[in-house]
Amino acid sequence: MISQPLKLGFLASNNGSSFRAILAAIEAGTLAAEARLVVSNRREAPALAFAAAHGVATRAIATVADPEGADAALAAALRGAGAELVILSGYLRKLGPATLAAYENRVLNIHPALLPKYGGQGMYGRRVHEAVAASGDAVSGASVHIVDGDYDHGPLVATLEIALAPGDDAAAIEAKVMAAEPMFFVDVLRRLATGALVLPEPHR
């Protein structure tokens, strides 16, 4: 059971655009949530400086040298901060088994296309939009899903469809999706906070 207000932990490798939008909604009083911790695998990630400037606790946990140790440290840091729901905001590392077990069905990611058609290993950033452009699809969108051990594989929580214009190239599609993603993620969290959306319970 997720308590109210939502107690959020964030993982970001770079700017953390979704984190920034979510924090803005929290600060504006339009989202019943608390930002408990922001963790990055990169000490120089702008998301950490932004979080610190807004009074949110931060941690940098490098993952390359000791992935297993980093996984344990991440799970412990999130639990220690009291995070009940973990939000990926451009976190470019695959989560390890300790974190996934500690937060089963409680890690959410937003993918910049409609899943499952445009997901999987290597499908991130501009590559996703290039695939959509090549398909000739009339719509793209964003997908919020639960994170499990496979790339873009966990159950869908919500999707947003975005109409494309004939001839939209990857850059145009990317701009449309990026403009819509942050507030869509905020809306999904707002629905979770009000009980309009309910995540599956962990298998305990």
Side-chain angles (χ1 to χ4, degrees), residues 116-197:
K117 186 174 181 181
Y118 294 104
Q121 187 168 3
M123 289 294 283
Y124 61 87
R126 180 61 65 86
R127 297 179 187 181
V128 177
H129 307 295
E130 288 172 348
V132 174
S135 75
D137 286 355
V139 297
S140 188
S143 306
V144 173
H145 66 97
I146 292 171
V147 175
D148 61 13
D150 295 319
Y151 290 105
D152 305 323
H153 175 263
L156 283 172
V157 175
T159 57
L160 174 70
E161 291 194 353
I162 297 170
L164 303 179
D168 274 354
D169 61 8
I173 295 169
E174 183 176 46
K176 289 180 178 181
V177 174
M178 285 182 66
E181 273 184 304
M183 292 315 300
F184 174 53
F185 215 162
V186 170
D187 181 63
V188 169
L189 292 177
R190 193 175 287 128
R191 288 154 66 191
L192 286 170
T194 61
L197 272 178

Side-chain angles (χ1 to χ4, degrees), residues 4-204:
Q4 312 300 329
L6 303 177
K7 296 173 178 60
L8 305 177
F10 297 87
L11 307 183
S13 292
N14 293 301
N15 287 320
S17 298
S18 293
F19 157 63
R20 293 173 188 240
I22 292 164
L23 184 61
I26 293 171
E27 292 177 340
T30 60
L31 173 63
E34 300 168 359
R36 292 298 187 94
L37 179 67
V38 179
V39 180
S40 182
N41 58 309
R42 298 174 60 245
R43 189 172 299 278
E44 67 277 17
L48 294 183
F50 182 86
H54 286 257
V56 181
T58 64
R59 283 282 303 275
I61 300 176
T63 59
V64 175
D66 180 10
E68 188 174 328
D71 180 27
L74 177 57
L78 291 166
R79 280 178 154 169
E84 295 179 348
L85 190 63
V86 179
I87 306 299
L88 302 193
S89 183
Y91 189 66
L92 303 179
R93 304 299 297 177
K94 196 171 185 180
L95 295 184
T99 302
L100 290 173
Y103 286 93
E104 183 188 1
N105 292 342
R106 294 296 180 267
V107 182
L108 298 182
N109 180 53
I110 190 165
H111 184 73
L114 298 177
L115 292 175
K117 186 174 181 181
Y118 294 104
Q121 187 168 3
M123 289 294 283
Y124 61 87
R126 180 61 65 86
R127 297 179 187 181
V128 177
H129 307 295
E130 288 172 348
V132 174
S135 75
D137 286 355
V139 297
S140 188
S143 306
V144 173
H145 66 97
I146 292 171
V147 175
D148 61 13
D150 295 319
Y151 290 105
D152 305 323
H153 175 263
L156 283 172
V157 175
T159 57
L160 174 70
E161 291 194 353
I162 297 170
L164 303 179
D168 274 354
D169 61 8
I173 295 169
E174 183 176 46
K176 289 180 178 181
V177 174
M178 285 182 66
E181 273 184 304
M183 292 315 300
F184 174 53
F185 215 162
V186 170
D187 181 63
V188 169
L189 292 177
R190 193 175 287 128
R191 288 154 66 191
L192 286 170
T194 61
L197 272 178
V198 179
L199 297 178
E201 288 300 315
H203 299 96
R204 296 283 187 251

